[in-house]
Amino acid sequence: MSDSAPHLRLGTCDYPEHVPEDRWAAYARGQRELGLTFVRVAEFAWSRMEPRPGEYDWAWLDRAVEAYHAQGLRVVLCTPTATPPAWLIRAHPDILPHDAQGRVREFGSRRHYDFASPVFREHSRRITRALAERYGEHPAVAGWQTDNEFGCHGTARSYGGASAAAFPGWLRQKYGTLDALNEAWGNVFWSMEYGDWEEIRPPALTVTEPNPSHVLDYARFSSDLIRDFQAEQVALLRELSPGRFVTHNFMIFESGFDHYAVARGLDFVTWDNYPTGMLEFFAPPGVGEALKTRYARTGHPDLVGFNHDLYRGLLKGHGGWEAETGKTQPHTPGFWVMEQQCGQVNWAPANPLPADGAVGLWTAQAWAHGADVVSYFRWRAATMAQEVMHSGLLRHDETPDRGHAEVAGLDLGSFPLGEVPARVALLHDYESLWLYDQQPHSAALSYWAQTVAYYSALRSLGVDVDVVSADADLGGYAVAVAPAVTLVPPERAARWQAAVEGDGLRLVCGPRTAFRTPGGQTWAQGQFGRLSELVGARLLNYDSLRPGLEQAVGGGYAAQFWAESYRLAGAQATHRYQGGPLDGQPAVIRHGPVTVIGAHSEALIRDVLRDVLEQAGVATSDLPDGLRLSRRAGVTLVQNWTGENVAWGGRTLGPVSFEVRAEG
Amino acid sequence: MSDSAPHLRLGTCDYPEHVPEDRWAAYARGQRELGLTFVRVAEFAWSRMEPRPGEYDWAWLDRAVEAYHAQGLRVVLCTPTATPPAWLIRAHPDILPHDAQGRVREFGSRRHYDFASPVFREHSRRITRALAERYGEHPAVAGWQTDNEFGCHGTARSYGGASAAAFPGWLRQKYGTLDALNEAWGNVFWSMEYGDWEEIRPPALTVTEPNPSHVLDYARFSSDLIRDFQAEQVALLRELSPGRFVTHNFMIFESGFDHYAVARGLDFVTWDNYPTGMLEFFAPPGVGEALKTRYARTGHPDLVGFNHDLYRGLLKGHGGWEAETGKTQPHTPGFWVMEQQCGQVNWAPANPLPADGAVGLWTAQAWAHGADVVSYFRWRAATMAQEVMHSGLLRHDETPDRGHAEVAGLDLGSFPLGEVPARVALLHDYESLWLYDQQPHSAALSYWAQTVAYYSALRSLGVDVDVVSADADLGGYAVAVAPAVTLVPPERAARWQAAVEGDGLRLVCGPRTAFRTPGGQTWAQGQFGRLSELVGARLLNYDSLRPGLEQAVGGGYAAQFWAESYRLAGAQATHRYQGGPLDGQPAVIRHGPVTVIGAHSEALIRDVLRDVLEQAGVATSDLPDGLRLSRRAGVTLVQNWTGENVAWGGRTLGPVSFEVRAEG
Amino acid sequence: MSDSAPHLRLGTCDYPEHVPEDRWAAYARGQRELGLTFVRVAEFAWSRMEPRPGEYDWAWLDRAVEAYHAQGLRVVLCTPTATPPAWLIRAHPDILPHDAQGRVREFGSRRHYDFASPVFREHSRRITRALAERYGEHPAVAGWQTDNEFGCHGTARSYGGASAAAFPGWLRQKYGTLDALNEAWGNVFWSMEYGDWEEIRPPALTVTEPNPSHVLDYARFSSDLIRDFQAEQVALLRELSPGRFVTHNFMIFESGFDHYAVARGLDFVTWDNYPTGMLEFFAPPGVGEALKTRYARTGHPDLVGFNHDLYRGLLKGHGGWEAETGKTQPHTPGFWVMEQQCGQVNWAPANPLPADGAVGLWTAQAWAHGADVVSYFRWRAATMAQEVMHSGLLRHDETPDRGHAEVAGLDLGSFPLGEVPARVALLHDYESLWLYDQQPHSAALSYWAQTVAYYSALRSLGVDVDVVSADADLGGYAVAVAPAVTLVPPERAARWQAAVEGDGLRLVCGPRTAFRTPGGQTWAQGQFGRLSELVGARLLNYDSLRPGLEQAVGGGYAAQFWAESYRLAGAQATHRYQGGPLDGQPAVIRHGPVTVIGAHSEALIRDVLRDVLEQAGVATSDLPDGLRLSRRAGVTLVQNWTGENVAWGGRTLGPVSFEVRAEG
Ligand SMILES: [Zn+2]
Ligand SMILES: [Zn+2]
Ligand SMILES: [Zn+2]
C-alpha cells in the first residue's frame, strides 16, 4: 500500500491444498515477484478444514497462510460452502437440491445444496464461525469471499426438497391470504386458484408452461433465500473478523437472483471474468457464429464491458471498503475482478487460446471500467479433476504460461484509481429479466440480448455507461436508457417521472417497457401502465418476427425479431414503419425528454441514441469496429479488440492492444 | 336466425371470470354490435364453479349468462374438465398423468389429468351433471363444448398411473389370451412374450425402441379412453340439456387419438384454427424455413385447408345439428371454427402479426371449406397468466385490435351455407399415422408430411377435397387418394376393391400403402397385402433417402426422402426410376383405375394426380403460387395468400385478399 | 471344409422361431443352395427355450437345428441373455439397469439387464448351462456366440441399482484405502473426498460435470463387469461343448468397455458390419453432411475398414479357432463378420438402399481385411416387431432381395485365406478414449474422430494397417502410429521406448499423447509425462479451435479444432505455426525415429505420415478419392467405393466394384 499514487493492484487464486506442501514457499515467492498483492485461498477446502464431522484441521491452512504472509501477500479467505463434504451429504441427503426435471442433484462436483435447507444453513454458519474464529484477526487476512459464484450451473433455484417446502411459507408471508395470492397471480385463468397454502408447488413439471406470476414469485423467493443465506455468513464475519472486507464473486450474466439485494451487505463486489468462455458459452441469442469466430481469441468488448459496468453499479450509492486504505469509506466502492482469465478456459464448446496481448487488454479494460484489483485465476493449472484443461499463470509443469509474461509486462502505475465519469445510466432490473425470459415471445430475443444491444450501441458511440438498478438515484446523469425494463411498478414510474421532470434527465426506453405489473400481469389499461403520461403514448401493436422476416422502418432501417408501434397521446413520431402490418405507425416516438424505440434494429438504436446524447450534451464518436474507449480518473483507455491495426485519434493501435491517453 | 338466406355466422370466446363484473355488459354489447351470434364461456372455470369440494357457486355465471342473453347472444357452455382445481388434485394426486419419461405431470397449468383415472371420471361426471342441471334448459344456452382440445400438450397418452393400471385389462378384453396377444404383437422377436397380464407396461422407457405393435395398441387403448371419457359427459348433457348441441373443439394436426371415434357422439365438430402458429409450430417435417418465412403472416393455405377439410369430414355420413335451425338433421352437419386466430398467438417460437386482410381471408376460407360458424379467440386479450401475449379482438386496454376491424368489415351475406362439392376424397386413418410415425424410416418424413403433400398437390390443381376416414363410404366420389394408409385390414381392402370395381372409383395410393397388418406387423406375403390383386403389383424395393440424396425418375423428376418400386403383376409402369439402385424399376404404376405412386416427388405427385383427375372428368387448373380456389353452395372463393398481386380468371387480386365469384 | 484351397466362407443369421415351422426346411435348403456354410440361430430365444421359470422347451430348437443339419449347414448357437424374459424381470425387477438420468430402463425391447445383478448372473449361468448341456456336443453345432452386441443402446454402464451397489466394493478392492482413492482421483479439488466407501455413487446427476477420474474408474468397473459376465458363460461352454468355438459379436465403434479384455477368453472375434448405418448414425464428429451424402449407398471405406482392422487386432498375439480346420491353433485367429448388412438397415435417421455392387464390395473388403467368414443379417426380413423395416437376403414375401443376387454372384475361390501383411500398427486404447471423450475440450473432436483421421490418412496412402492395443507387442512393425493415446502409464512408456530404441520402430504420435496419468490426472511435470525423453520435447501450449477458426501451419496447412505446440528438448521442429498465438512455435517435431504431430490438419497428417512411411521403407501410393487397396494372402483387393469409374494401375474399375489383383 505504499506506491506513489493509488493504482490498480493484482492478485491470484491459489489452492495450496492441490499441491504438495513443498511447493508453497516457491509459489508465494513467485507471486510476490510477479508483483501481486492479493491471493485468494481455501475456496473449496471444506473437506480439508473439517475432514470428519466436527473435527477441524487448521494446521495445514495455518502453514499455508504463513507462507503467503512471509512474502507480504495479503490473503483473501473463502467460506467453503460451495462444496459441502461427503460426510455431511450422507448424514443429511435432504441438503441436496432438485432440478426442474424433478431429479435430485447429487454429490460429486460442487454447489450441491439447497439454500433453503435448515440443516445446511446451520452447517454453513458453523463452518463460517469456526473459520472466522481461527483467521478473523490474522494479520495476513485482508478479507473474505462468501461461498463461490452463487447460481452457477443453474443452482440459484431448487425445484423440490427444502425449497419446495419453504415456498408456501414465503408466499403466506408476502400475501397474507390465498385470495390475495390468487388475485395477484391471476389464478382464475385456468382454474389454478389455491385453497390451501400447501397445494402450492414450485413451477416445474407442469403439463404446459406455468403461470408467469408463479414463476416470478418463485424467482423472488429463491433470490431471497440466497440473500439470507449469505447474510448469515456476513454477520458472523463482521463479528469475528473486524476491519476486514467481505465480498462475493459473482458470475457472468448470472440471472437467477437479484444481485442488488445480494450485494447489499457486502463491502464491495467482485466478479469472475472469462472473456472467451463468455462469448462462446454465455452470449445472448443473436450473437452469431461469425461474430463468435471474429472475437474468439479476445471475447467481445461489450459483453465483457457490460459485466464490468453491471458489477461496478451493484453497490452504487452505498459505502464500501477501499483497497488502498483497507478501510470502509462512505463513498461507492470500486469492484474487483476476483477471477480473471489468463489463458484458456475449459468449460465452453471450444476454448481457444487468448490472442497475444489479450490478458493485458482484459486487465486494462477491467481497470478502466472501475476495477481496483484484478486477480488471475489461477496460479498453477490444476493437475487433477474437473479443471485439468483450464490454464493458470503457471502451466501443469510449473513453467510460466503465456499470461504470466503479459502480467509481468504491465505498468501498474499507468492505471490510476478514480472515478468512471459516466453521464449515461443504463437501467437494469432482475424482475424484468425473469418475466421477459419466461415469455420472450420471440425465441431469438432475451432480456440480456435486448439489454446488451443498447449497451453495445452506446459503447460503439464512445460513451461511458453506468449499469444501475432501475430504482437507482438518477441524479447526475444526462441520459438514462431502459432497454428492457418490462416491469415498472408505480413507485418506479414515479421515480423516473421525477428524474425526467425535476432533474432534466433524458430517458430512452426500449420495447416492452412498462408492459407488466409487479404481479407479473399486464396493465389493464395496457402498456405503458403508470408511465403512459410520461411517454405520451400507448402501445398499439407488437410484432414478433421470425428470423428472416423483417419489418422496414422509414430511413432505411429494418427491425428484426421485434417491432412495436404506438398510439400517440402527446408524443411525436420520429420514425414510422413502412409496409407490413405496421405500415405508417410510429416506430420511434419522442415526448419531450422521453424517447421510446419500438423497433429492434441495431442501426436505428444507435442513431436514435446518438441524437439523444448530443441533445443532452454528451459527446459521441463513431468508433471503428472493434475499437473501444473507456475513461477513468481523467485518462482514456483506447482499446483495439481486433486482430488488425486500427487508427484512432491520429495514432495506430496494433492488433489486440491498448493505450492510456490523456484524452479520448 | 332471421336473415334473408342462411349464411355464415360469427362468435367469440369470452371469459367473464377474467375481468371485473362491471365490464360484462359492455363486452356483451360490443359483441352484439360487431354482429356476433355466439359466445363461448366458462371453458376453464371449474375453480369458480366449485371453489371448494361440493360447494357450487353459480351466482356469477348466472349473471354472466344473463349479460349475454340480454344482448341476444347465444351461449355455448363448456364442461370445465380440462382444468381440475387444486383441491381435487390435492385430494387425489393419482389423477395426474405421467409423461413418457416416467415423470408425474403436475398441477399448475391445464390438462393435468389421466383419462383412465376412475376418481377423475367420477368428478368429471359430477361437475358435468351439476353444470347441466343448472343451465341445461337456459334459453340463452345454444349448446355445449366438452372439455377443451383433447390431446393438446401431448396429453392424449399417460404413460403411468391410472393408464398403466388400466392397460392390461383393455388388452385382456381385446385378446382374451396372452397367446393371442403375443402372436399379434410378434413378441417372440426379442423374447418379449408375456406370461402374465400384469407384466405389460406402457411402451415407455424401454432400452431401445418398443415393439410397434405394443405402441399401436397403447395408442388404441388411449384413444378409447378419450372416447369413453367424453361419452360420459355427452350422455349427461343429452339427458339434462335437451335440444342443445354437444361438440368438442379439436386441435390442429392432433395425432394422439382416433378423431372419428371421438367425434361419433357429437352433433357436429369444431376445431381451433391458428394459421400462423400452425405453420411455425405444427408444420410437418419438410416445410422449410423459406416457406415459413414466406407465409409467416398468413399461414400456409393448404395446412389450414387440410385441417378444415379433415374436421368437416369427421362426421361425414352421420346426421347432426344445424346452426340455422338449431335442430338435429339427418344430413351431415357443417362444422365450426370454435377458436379462430384474430391477431397473434403466443405459443410458437415466433408469433408474427397477421397480414392486413388475413383475418378476413381466414374467415372466408373457413366458410368456403364448410364452416357454418367462425368464433374468434378471444374477445379481450388476457391481462394475466400464461396467455398475456396472446391477442384478442380487443387489446389489453380494451381498444379494438386490428382483427376487430376486419371482422366488422365482413359481408356475411356473401357467405351462403351449402354443400362443398368435392368429387375427390382423401383417405385418412389414425392407426396408419401411429404406425407410420413410430417407424418413419426416413426422419424427414412423417404421416402428416406425406399426406399433406398429396393434399397440397390436389389444391394446387384447384380441386376441392373431402378428407374422410379410410373406411368412409366412397360412393359419389370420382377419385379417392390414399396418401399414406399403411394399415389396410382385410375389410378395408374389400371396401376399396368394391368401390373401384363396383362404383367406378379411381384410386391413387402413395408409398407404404397396405404395408402393415392390423396387428402392426407386415403382411407375410409382402406389401400390398390383401390389396395386391387390386393393385396388380407387389412391392419390390423401398429406399429411404437422406436429405441431399435424390433418386431420379424418368421425365425429369427427382424423388426425395422415399422411393419404392414394384414388381408388376397386371399393372403397367407409367414412370420408371433412372439410375441408382432402382434403375429401370417402376416408380408409378397403373392397374386400370388404380394408380400407385412410389416416389416422393411433389412435381410427380401433382402430374400423376392431374392425369387421373382428368381421366375421371374432374376439371383441374394450374393455379399460380399462393392462389387457391374453394367452392361452396354454388360459388367459388378465390384466395390470394401471398403479399403480391396475383391475376386469376382475368382479374387481379390484391395481396392477402379474396373474392367470391360465381364460378372458379 | 473340403474345397480346394482355404477361402472365405459365408453364413447367415436365421430366426426359425420368427416364422412358421413349415418354412424351416425350405429356408435351410435355400441357404445351402446359396453356398452358405454357417447359420447363426437362437440369438434372442430365451422366452421360447424357457417359457416359464425352470420349464425348458427344447423340442422346437431340436427340430430347427436338425433342419440345418440335414442341409449340411454348421450351426452357431447363442446364449440368449440379451433378452431376459418377462417372467424373470417380474420376479426380479432389480435386474433392470438404470440410465444416467436416474431412470430404470424397462422391459419391452432388449439388453434390459445390469451386468452387476447377482440374480441375473445366476440366471445367465443357468440358461447357458441348460443350453450347452442340450446342444454342446450336437454334431451340427460349430460354436457359440455369447449374448449379443455388448454395450449396444448405451448399455455398457448402468448408473444405479446393482451396479451402484457393487461399485464401492470394486473400488475398495482396487485402492485398499480411501486415502489412496482420494489421492488418485484428486478429490481434494472440490472437497469431493470420501470418508466412507458407501458415500461413493456412480458419476451421474452431479450438479456440474463429475470428476474425470471418477468417470474413468466407473468405466473400468463397468468394463470389468462385462468381462466377468461373459467369462462365466465361456467357462460353462468350454466345459459342456468341447471342441467348439466361443465368440462374441461386437458392435460398430462401441466405446463402453475394454474390448481387449472382453475378447481375451474367446476363440476369435466377430463384429456386426452395417456400413450405411455406420456412416449415418455412428460417424464421429467431423464427418459432414456432404461426405455422408457422397457415401450414403456404400458407407465410407475407412470407417468400415477401421472396424475390420480393429476387430482383427483384438486377439493379436493370442491363439484361436480356425474356421478351416475347426481346431484351435496357436497363431492369431482370423475374425468373422457375424452380421453383415445385405440390404438396408432400419435404425439410422435415413436408411438408403445399398448401391448395386455394395454387398459384394463389403464382402470382399471384409475378406481382404482378414475375415474368414462373412455371415449376412438376416435370412428373411422380419415381418414383426422392431425390425420390420430391416432387410434380409429374402424380402418379407420370401423372394430373393437384391443382396441375395450379389451373394450368389461371389466367386469365393478368389478370396484365399492368409495373412494381412500390415507393417503399420495403429495404437488404440479404451482408457484413453474414456478420458478423451469426458473432456474433449473441443466439441468438434472426439477420440474416434482423431483416431480415424490418422487411420484414413494411412489408408489414403494405400497402406495396410493393424489396429492394435497400445500395449501390444510391436515387433515386426516398421511404423507405429498413436493418434490419441492420451493415457500413457509408465509401463506403456517403457514398452514404446524399448520398441523404438531396441527394434528400430518408427513412432508417430498425435496431439494429447501421454497427457494423462493412469489415475486420470495430468502429469505433474506436464505432457509427455514418462515419454518426454523419448519425444525430446514438452508440451508448450494447446489450442482448442472453434469451427471456422483456423491456425495456420507453415507449408500451407491449416489446423482445425486442435493445435498444440512444443518446447524442444532434443527434438527438431519440422513444421511451425504461422501467425496467431502459436506463431513460430513447433507444430510437428521429430526426435530421431519419433514424430509428434500437434496440429489437427488432414493434409498435414497425410504428408507427415507419407514421409515417415517412406523413411521406414513402407511403400505408399497417392490413391484417388474413394479408391482403396487392401492386401491379403499375397493378393491385392482394389476397391472403388464411388459411383463413378476410377482408373488405377492401368485399368478402370466401374462404380462400386472391386478386383482381386496379383499386386496393388
Ligand atoms: Zn470460479
Ligand atoms: Zn384453445
Ligand atoms: Zn444385431
Side-chain angles (χ1 to χ4, degrees), chain A residues 44 47-48 103 344 353 395, chain C residues 101 191 193 524 540 542-543:
Chain A
F44 299 121
S47 72
R48 287 292 165 97
R103 297 173 300 202
Q344 62 200 320
L353 284 174
R395 294 190 177 87
Chain C
Q101 305 307 313
S191 272
E193 293 171 300
L540 197 53
Y542 56 90
D543 193 11

Side-chain angles (χ1 to χ4, degrees), chain A residues 44 46-48 86 103 105-106 109 280 289 293 297 344 349 351-353 383 386 389 395-397, chain C residues 101 189 191 193 199 205 207-209 211 439 441 443 521-522 524-525 538 540-546:
Chain A
F44 299 121
W46 194 334
S47 72
R48 287 292 165 97
R103 297 173 300 202
R105 305 185 76 176
E106 300 282 0
S109 61
E280 193 70 44
E289 293 303 303
T293 298
R297 296 202 183 281
Q344 62 200 320
N351 301 286
L353 284 174
T383 60
Q386 280 89 338
M389 310 295 276
R395 294 190 177 87
H396 293 126
D397 66 1
Chain C
Q101 305 307 313
F189 185 69
S191 272
E193 293 171 300
E199 289 162 4
L205 291 173
V207 171
T208 182
E209 56 171 340
N211 187 333
Q439 298 184 312
H441 204 60
Q521 303 190 15
T522 65
Q525 69 271 44
R538 277 185 169 193
L540 197 53
N541 299 300
Y542 56 90
D543 193 11
S544 152
L545 301 156
R546 74 188 322 274

Side-chain angles (χ1 to χ4, degrees), chain C residues 561-642:
Chain C
F561 312 142
W562 197 264
E564 61 183 45
S565 66
Y566 308 103
R567 170 181 300 132
L568 303 179
Q572 290 181 313
T574 64
H575 300 73
R576 287 180 182 270
Y577 292 104
Q578 284 187 334
L582 305 180
D583 187 45
Q585 298 180 4
V588 182
I589 58 175
R590 188 163 295 174
H591 189 223
V594 178
T595 301
V596 182
I597 305 173
H600 190 77
S601 153
E602 291 183 13
L604 176 63
I605 292 167
R606 182 173 154 133
D607 287 350
V608 171
L609 286 173
R610 187 191 298 103
D611 273 7
V612 174
L613 290 165
E614 284 174 5
Q615 286 163 24
V618 179
T620 65
S621 315
D622 279 304
L623 300 183
D625 181 37
L627 189 127
R628 286 293 179 264
L629 306 178
S630 311
R631 297 169 192 80
R632 186 180 188 189
V635 295
T636 298
L637 184 75
V638 187
Q639 307 143 57
N640 176 11
W641 287 73
T642 75

Side-chain angles (χ1 to χ4, degrees), chain A residues 361 626-627 638-642 644-646 653-658:
Chain A
L361 178 61
L627 188 127
V638 187
Q639 307 143 58
N640 176 11
W641 287 73
T642 75
E644 305 94 44
N645 286 335
V646 175
L653 283 90
V656 189
S657 69
F658 63 88

Side-chain angles (χ1 to χ4, degrees), chain B residues 446-580:
Chain B
S446 74
Y447 176 89
W448 287 130
Q450 186 166 316
T451 299
V452 168
Y454 280 77
Y455 178 83
S456 199
L458 289 166
R459 281 286 168 194
S460 78
L461 293 165
V463 168
D464 295 296
V465 181
D466 279 355
V467 178
V468 297
S469 161
D471 293 324
D473 175 7
L474 300 175
Y477 291 111
V479 176
V481 179
V485 183
T486 198
L487 194 162
V488 179
E491 319 77 51
R492 182 172 293 167
R495 197 174 300 111
W496 291 7
Q497 184 151 5
V500 168
E501 296 177 351
D503 306 340
L505 181 76
R506 275 176 170 76
L507 176 66
V508 180
C509 301
R512 307 196 216 191
T513 297
F515 183 38
R516 309 294 284 265
T517 72
Q521 304 190 15
T522 65
W523 294 102
Q525 69 271 44
Q527 191 172 325
F528 298 78
R530 302 298 178 89
L531 218 57
S532 300
E533 222 175 300
L534 185 65
V535 168
R538 279 185 167 188
L539 177 70
L540 196 53
N541 298 300
Y542 56 91
D543 193 11
S544 152
L545 301 156
R546 73 188 321 274
L549 182 67
E550 294 186 337
Q551 165 69 53
V553 180
Y557 303 103
Q560 290 186 310
F561 312 142
W562 197 263
E564 61 183 45
S565 66
Y566 308 103
R567 170 181 300 133
L568 303 179
Q572 290 180 314
T574 64
H575 299 73
R576 287 179 182 271
Y577 292 104
Q578 284 186 334

Side-chain angles (χ1 to χ4, degrees), chain B residues 15 40 43-44 110 148-149 249 272 274 339 377 387:
Chain B
Y15 299 84
R40 188 195 66 181
E43 197 188 22
F44 299 121
R110 60 178 179 177
N148 173 64
E149 297 173 351
N249 60 330
D272 295 348
Y274 294 96
E339 301 182 9
F377 182 86
E387 293 181 354

